[in-house]
Amino acid sequence: MKTSNKIVLLLTIISAIFFTSCNENKPKEKEVVKKEADFSMMENSTMGDDNRVSLKLNPMQKEHQLMNMRDHLDAVQNIVLLLSEEKYDEASKIAYTRLGSTTEMKLMCASFGNKDFENLGLKFHESADKMSEVFKSGDKNKSLKALSNTMNLCVQCHATYRQ
């Protein structure tokens, strides 16, 4: 993969992480979710203003969730690197085992007592399962679209919820 393609891929990932949006439209099968950024919540905002829904976690739950989110981010970073090296099978394995809808992840999503959060979390993990399958095709463009779809759910969740 050319260096310029790696840079574009890395910048796309970084942008998705730092710019949040809330896309309420359901993605169509095999279609990239178009990111419709709504930064109105950030305009004229101070650091203390946070209109996201609190999950009202206790300190132990907060720490556990923070570790989990950091692991998700690490998994995405590894996937980006593996895709840049055209190691699709390895990227697929990471997507499925660390981001996919494992029993542990399903239970974790259900443990917060917020049905909307649970549903969004389950969508994310199911999207990672699909992403894992797309990676196996070895098609770079389809793989990047699948990664974008999964990351859009990350962005949507982080724009909607806070610990």
Side-chain angles (χ1 to χ4, degrees):
M1 180 180 259
K2 292 182 182 178
T3 301
S4 61
N5 287 345
K6 289 180 187 177
I7 292 170
V8 169
L9 178 60
L10 183 58
L11 290 175
T12 301
I13 299 302
I14 291 170
S15 295
I17 292 168
F18 285 104
F19 295 104
T20 59
S21 71
C22 183
N23 182 355
E24 295 178 7
N25 299 324
K26 289 186 177 181
K28 294 179 182 174
E29 198 68 32
K30 298 182 182 178
E31 181 179 314
V32 175
V33 176
K34 301 296 183 201
K35 192 170 178 182
E36 297 174 8
D38 178 8
F39 297 107
S40 61
M41 69 180 198
M42 295 170 53
E43 292 175 13
N44 302 317
S45 175
T46 64
M47 291 300 285
D49 293 339
D50 188 347
N51 297 321
R52 295 176 297 160
V53 175
S54 173
L55 293 172
K56 298 180 175 97
L57 305 179
N58 67 44
M60 186 177 76
Q61 288 173 313
K62 283 183 179 183
E63 184 61 30
H64 187 266
Q65 185 65 2
L66 183 59
M67 288 174 34
N68 194 38
M69 292 297 100
R70 287 177 176 161
D71 184 65
H72 286 0
L73 185 58
D74 182 66
V76 169
Q77 188 277 328
N78 280 288
I79 287 169
V80 170
L81 177 62
L82 291 168
L83 292 178
S84 76
E85 296 172 347
E86 298 182 3
K87 295 180 180 177
Y88 297 101
D89 289 335
E90 291 178 51
S92 175
K93 183 178 179 181
I94 288 175
Y96 184 76
T97 59
R98 292 181 58 193
L99 302 176
S101 56
T102 62
T103 300
E104 178 187 4
M105 291 301 173
K106 289 177 185 177
L107 291 171
M108 190 177 308
C109 288
S111 72
F112 293 99
N114 181 311
K115 205 61 167 164
D116 291 334
F117 176 81
E118 178 182 353
N119 290 335
L120 186 56
L122 293 175
K123 276 189 196 175
F124 163 77
H125 294 297
E126 289 166 3
S127 127
D129 292 337
K130 291 176 187 175
M131 178 176 66
S132 172
E133 291 302 313
V134 171
F135 290 168
K136 291 177 184 178
S137 73
D139 184 302
K140 177 185 76 172
N141 289 331
K142 288 181 182 176
S143 294
L144 291 175
K145 287 177 184 177
L147 178 60
S148 178
N149 284 337
T150 298
M151 291 206 61
N152 189 58
L153 291 165
C154 296
V155 171
Q156 184 177 345
C157 189
H158 284 268
T160 306
Y161 298 98
R162 64 183 172 90
Q163 292 185 337

